[in-house]
Amino acid sequence: MLVAAAVCPCPPLLVPEVAVGAAPELAAARTACADAIGVLAAARPDRLVVVGPAGEGERGPHHAGAIGSFSGFGAAISVRLGTGEPQARPLPTSLTVGAWLLDRARWAASPVAGLGVDEALDSARCRETGREIAAEAPRIALLVMSDGSACRSLKAPGYLDERAEGFDALAARALGSADLAALRTLDASLAHELKAAGRAPWQVLAGAAEGAGLDGRLLYDAAPYGVGYFVATWS
């Protein structure tokens, strides 16, 4: 059963060595992520699963010991997901950022695994995946790596789309209140048009949380680069 969840953004810019001069702009987000991971640790899970969007060839399970790198973003930094023997298949970027957050928090509360999710995965399958994860151990925690729309400003990766602000506001309210129904009804087509990489991971979370009775809290909600970034905890 799911006992706790943390939702964190997954831009490599969270890593100061990647952001370089822009590092202070996401300082509040880093602090919120650290607080969210603290909530996960306090729940004393038997197992932590890091879930995030992944491209072709990166989807599916990633075992403890899998390694991710930020070398493609200009920083010679590698991180390992939990503890274990190094795995041949590298982590997708979203899980690499998640592994960096856990390493930064010196995570030792439970074994860790990862799951890369297709951003186009339909809602029903997302929720079923979440239910499967929640059944893996008596006390499961999720670290959900995810971004909102990438269309909040003229300089955003997806340019300005007037629908983006409303989409992100709905997502923020749902994540901050653990509103499973609202997350289930997020429109996959609209999310794709707005380049919102978090829709599928959020719906995995919604499936995992069914029957868990968790309360939500929104710790961070901003769009510093025209991309919606949220940090929330469920416990």
Side-chain angles (χ1 to χ4, degrees):
M1 175 179 284
L2 188 71
V3 295
V7 176
C8 293
C10 54
L13 287 172
L14 271 181
V15 180
E17 291 85 350
V18 173
V20 193
E25 294 179 19
L26 287 179
R30 291 185 201 98
T31 298
C33 289
D35 291 343
I37 291 173
V39 170
L40 297 182
R44 299 182 179 275
D46 300 319
R47 178 178 171 88
L48 171 67
V49 181
V50 185
V51 178
E56 189 173 354
E58 301 175 325
R59 298 163 190 155
H62 289 268
H63 302 294
I67 294 173
S69 172
F70 294 103
S71 60
F73 301 97
I77 299 174
S78 294
V79 291
R80 183 176 298 188
L81 184 66
T83 58
E85 294 297 321
Q87 304 291 310
R89 191 163 70 123
L91 294 170
T93 299
S94 64
L95 300 192
T96 299
V97 176
W100 179 82
L101 288 174
L102 292 173
D103 184 65
R104 185 169 180 255
R106 299 183 179 181
W107 179 268
S110 67
V112 181
L115 180 68
V117 179
D118 182 354
E119 292 178 38
L121 193 65
D122 70 82
S123 178
R125 183 59 189 137
C126 286
R127 299 197 307 274
E128 179 59 29
T129 298
R131 288 190 286 268
E132 291 168 358
I133 293 172
E136 290 178 355
R139 298 181 63 81
I140 287 284
L142 286 182
L143 173 55
V144 182
M145 305 304 299
S146 52
D147 294 338
S149 75
C151 302
R152 292 278 294 275
S153 71
L154 293 174
K155 294 184 178 180
Y159 196 65
L160 177 65
D161 190 312
E162 294 180 354
R163 301 171 297 173
E165 186 172 355
F167 177 91
D168 283 348
L170 174 60
R173 286 195 300 271
L175 294 170
S177 59
D179 188 337
L180 306 188
L183 291 178
R184 285 194 294 264
T185 58
L186 288 175
D187 188 298
S189 295
L190 178 59
H192 176 73
E193 292 171 10
L194 297 176
K195 302 185 185 300
R199 190 276 309 172
W202 296 334
Q203 291 183 332
V204 170
L205 170 60
E210 290 176 6
L214 303 180
D215 294 321
R217 182 184 176 201
L218 189 65
L219 305 183
Y220 181 87
D221 175 7
Y225 304 109
V227 181
Y229 296 147
F230 316 114
V231 179
T233 60
W234 293 17
S235 61

